[in-house]
Amino acid sequence: MIIMSAESTMEPMLELFLFETTQLVEQLEQSVIDSEKCDGYDATAINEIFRIMHSIKGAAAMMMFDTVAQLAHCVEDVFYYLREGKPEKVDCMKLSDLILASGDFIKNEIDKIRSGNNADGNAASLIDQTHSFLDELKNVNPSVHTVDKGNTVSSQKQYYISQDKKAVSLKKQPFMATVFFEDDCDMENIRAYTIIPSLRDIAEDIKYIPENIMEDDATAEIIRTEGFKVFFSSGRTYSEIHELLEKTIFLKTLELVEIDDAVTEKPESRPKQIILEDFPDKTSKPIAQPPINVNKKAVSSSGPSMISVNVAKLDTLMDLVGELVVAEAMVIQNPDLRGLSLTNFAKAVRQLEKITGEMQDIVMSIRMLPLAATFQKMNRIIRDMCKKLGKEVQLELVGEETEVDKNIIEHISDPLMHIIRNAVDHGIESSAERMAAGKPAIGKVTLEAKHDGSDVVILIKDDGRGLNRDKILKRARENGLLHKSENDLTDKEIYSFIFAPGFSTNDKVTEFSGRGVGMDVVTKNITSIGGMVGVDSIPGTGSTISLRIPLTLAIVDAMNIGVGDARYTIPITAIKESFKPREKDIIIDPDGNEMIMVRGQCFPILRINQVFKVNTRTNGFTDGIIIMVENEGHIVCLFADELIGEQQVVVKALPPYVKNLRQVEGLAGCTLLGDGSISLILDIGGMVKRQKIS
Amino acid sequence: MKTVLVVDDMLFMRMALKSILEKNGFSVIGDAENGVEAIKKYKECAPDIVTMDITMPEMSGLEALKKIKEYDQNAKVIMVSAMGQERFVKEAIMNGANYFIAKPFKEAKVLEILNKVVA
């Protein structure tokens, strides 16, 4: 997998932190929503959320985002309790809300950091809520043996008892060893304890001072000042024992002496630890429990290794490959080669073409990401809306593995959100209404993605009440949107009014939708990436909104046209038709504007040679060709010398030095044609503006 | 040059350690994002030192530590753990971990500990 990041200036570590934390929060949301669906948190979910919070905490603390770290720590505490204590009475609703709110807070802070602001959010109330939730949890579950994080020792008690009798010869000599550890080695008590297991192999009657080193971290200080004293008897020689103890990690000094039984310092009390053996130890379960829920997709342990690449580099790579293909054509079709018989050259050319073709495919595929993550986000929206609106809606995802270009993904997230909100708010009825209509009480929204040629089609279906044709018509009439007689409008045309700016039939504004913004945002976002929006609806059965979007923005199907010596390119999606005009269809209005009459309707003509002040080879209209294009709902007829042909072109931005020196309004970019010449990609809206100014 | 295997489920942490280590004359010859991978990588590249996160998916750092110690009892493993994990650190040290680094870590501390362990 490749991580793509847009900002190249950000410090790489920060970038990575933001990326991974965002991912973790998304996983967190998914876990919560999955758990809500199965009515509670199972062990896998608890472990997962614990791990996520733990990771966020660690990383945030490293980056000194203390508030995020603190909040993550609090939530982690709750899940630590859930994991270790296994309380029975858990208010799952409240817990979900709390985790999601925490996730939102972290997301919010991340966004702030990403946009260069200070992460100055105040999590105090959230932290308080989390604390009191945990306290309450402990109160209602008094039977749970509370486990204090960090102060209990697990599963190691057998060390205290078991003894390897074989290793001990019959003639035993008592010893006393005093051990000092290196300065600043920390946790001296634990380090001291590590001596015991190795000693056990060759000695018995092992006793030590201080005693309860495992339970009491304060003993570290005693060991630091007074040393760690071990008493034991062994049949091994002094040097053997000395050698063994010398191996102790971070050993500073070792003093080993043979002692008489009478030596008084020998501790009288039996080590307390022996009692521990029968003590029901709550913490002794393995830390890594095998996942109980086998339904979850198992993550392959030897998964593809990951590297992170700046997206700007990928863009450059894509550009370079595009240029390579063009350069290749320039070499192969070089005029100098004309008329030569080049058998071996032709062979080499075929090989080269094969490789560059494969390269193009690979570069394209690197930028492709599955829609799954974007689709998954919708779960959260549905959940929040259902809670607020008191509806029950289930989201079904189909084809979420469909891959599209990363840039496209960024553009469809908002439109999808708006559509889903509208579907749940306006489309899906309340449970009672649904039952009365003989539908299942739980509403259903389906999000489906599939490939269709060089496009991806995304369908958002709901099984709600459908669109209200009359209401839409009425509102359209009020807003002056009708451009032909009501009787001539097809149902589809009427439904499409919902995408018009400021259109909303809902009288009351809810928190989520009904402000009349939304659906026109959908149209705007989708058309800006060369896509199309459609809608269909059956009253009482539901509505379907379809988004048709290109797989990638970098390569578009386009028509190349010629005006004089210049070459221009128009995206195919913008072209409605092209035809040879007849002189008699041309109309000139009193202001001198040229219009053309097509099937009884008048459209303005834009002569490309006039707009860009270039020469034309045509004398009159009949020599050239009209290309009818649609832009933001308006139809414009472009007049050009000739059509050159259809081609897939690699879109390149105009270089900054051109943008700075020249007026580039009306141009969306440029591309290289097969013969190596440059063609300018037209931006119809800009052209209209440019013509108006001049 | 001493070789290090960096184990952590967060790429962020792996990169943080990697940049500190490589700046200071260690060679990070491998990384792993869970215990299973860590064991595999340990066998593959036989590093001088392993830095091991504790809380990871698939297999925790403690399990991985035990398995690595079983495979090579001279393995030098440094646990890297966040605050609030003392319990696991104790267990790790009893299972043969050489040292621990607390997250968030500072460059100087990391180097001090690694140098102690390889000394």
Side-chain angles (χ1 to χ4, degrees), chain A residues 339-350:
Chain A
L340 299 176
S341 150
L342 304 157
T343 325
N344 288 322
F345 181 78
K347 264 190 211 160
V349 161
R350 273 196 296 280

Side-chain angles (χ1 to χ4, degrees), chain A residues 97-116:
Chain A
D97 285 345
L98 211 53
I99 310 163
L100 289 177
S102 306
D104 285 347
F105 179 85
I106 296 170
K107 236 184 338 194
N108 206 359
E109 297 295 288
I110 295 289
D111 284 345
K112 279 189 212 162
I113 300 163
R114 188 172 282 133
S115 49

Side-chain angles (χ1 to χ4, degrees), chain A residues 654-688:
Chain A
L654 288 170
Y657 61 88
V658 174
K659 281 188 186 166
N660 293 341
L661 289 176
R662 299 270 174 170
Q663 188 200 1
V664 291
E665 190 147 51
L667 297 177
C670 60
T671 186
L672 284 166
L673 300 185
D675 61 358
S677 62
I678 291 173
S679 175
L680 297 168
I681 300 167
L682 297 180
D683 160 28
I684 315 296
M687 281 174 72
V688 174

Side-chain angles (χ1 to χ4, degrees), chain A residues 283-468:
Chain A
T283 63
S284 64
K285 73 178 107 54
I287 286 94
Q289 285 173 324
I292 292 158
N293 191 346
V294 281
N295 291 337
K296 291 243 171 93
K297 268 185 235 161
V299 187
S300 155
S301 57
S302 53
S305 44
M306 189 152 95
I307 63 161
S308 84
V309 176
N310 195 303
V311 83
K313 285 187 187 163
L314 286 183
D315 286 341
T316 316
L317 179 63
M318 174 99 113
D319 270 4
L320 285 173
V321 171
E323 262 163 56
L324 179 70
V325 172
V326 173
E328 175 195 70
M330 284 161 75
V331 171
I332 296 167
Q333 296 158 20
N334 199 297
D336 292 359
L337 302 173
R338 251 172 239 157
L340 299 176
S341 150
L342 304 157
T343 325
N344 288 322
F345 181 78
K347 264 190 211 160
V349 161
R350 273 196 296 280
Q351 179 68 8
L352 179 63
E353 278 174 335
K354 182 174 166 279
I355 293 169
T356 48
E358 278 171 17
M359 253 175 94
Q360 239 181 326
D361 290 346
I362 286 287
V363 171
M364 289 284 295
S365 72
I366 290 176
R367 296 176 50 95
M368 300 296 242
L369 292 173
L371 282 165
T374 314
F375 275 19
Q376 299 285 7
K377 272 195 225 157
M378 303 303 148
N379 268 318
R380 172 74 194 278
I381 290 167
I382 296 227
R383 175 205 179 262
D384 285 0
M385 290 196 62
C386 286
K387 267 197 118 170
K388 292 259 165 66
L389 299 171
K391 291 181 181 179
E392 270 192 273
V393 183
Q394 183 200 344
L395 178 68
E396 191 188 11
L397 302 181
V398 182
E400 71 261 43
E401 69 285 345
T402 311
E403 291 191 330
V404 294
D405 191 279
K406 189 205 168 253
N407 283 335
I408 301 259
I409 288 199
E410 281 168 6
H411 280 91
I412 60 170
S413 182
D414 278 357
L416 275 183
M417 225 147 74
H418 283 298
I419 297 171
I420 297 257
R421 279 188 180 147
N422 269 293
V424 177
D425 199 0
H426 305 319
I428 305 279
E429 316 89 327
S430 66
S431 296
E433 210 176 312
R434 289 181 65 89
M435 304 266 257
K439 292 189 197 179
I442 299 175
K444 192 164 133 187
V445 174
T446 312
L447 200 50
E448 183 182 345
K450 57 188 176 194
H451 283 290
D452 183 19
S454 66
D455 293 337
V456 171
V457 178
I458 299 177
L459 299 174
I460 306 98
K461 293 182 217 163
D462 69 68
D463 66 346
R465 54 171 80 92
L467 293 169
N468 187 329

Side-chain angles (χ1 to χ4, degrees), chain A residues 514-571:
Chain A
R515 288 191 198 89
V517 290
M519 288 315 242
D520 61 317
V521 171
V522 170
T523 330
K524 218 169 153 190
N525 280 8
I526 298 298
T527 46
S528 77
I529 50 169
M532 285 180 290
V533 187
V535 59
D536 205 357
S537 175
I538 303 165
T541 321
S543 326
T544 302
I545 289 178
S546 60
L547 310 178
R548 177 175 283 272
I549 45 176
L551 272 179
T552 169
L553 293 178
I555 295 186
V556 292
D557 279 315
M559 177 67 80
N560 295 319
I561 58 173
V563 180
D565 294 328
R567 298 277 174 276
Y568 296 98
T569 300
I570 307 169

Side-chain angles (χ1 to χ4, degrees), chain A residues 20 51 154 185 250 301, chain B residues 9 11-12 37 83 91 99:
Chain A
E20 279 198 298
R51 188 178 61 78
S154 65
C185 83
F250 296 119
S301 57
Chain B
D9 60 333
L11 179 59
F12 169 80
E37 217 176 282
M83 48 209 172
E91 199 175 327
Y99 218 99

Side-chain angles (χ1 to χ4, degrees), chain A residues 606 611 631-632 663 665-666 683-694:
Chain A
L606 215 53
V611 178
N631 172 58
E632 288 167 10
Q663 188 200 1
E665 190 147 51
D683 160 28
I684 315 296
M687 281 174 72
V688 174
K689 250 191 242 165
R690 185 174 172 141
Q691 182 69 1
K692 271 184 193 152
I693 294 162
S694 65

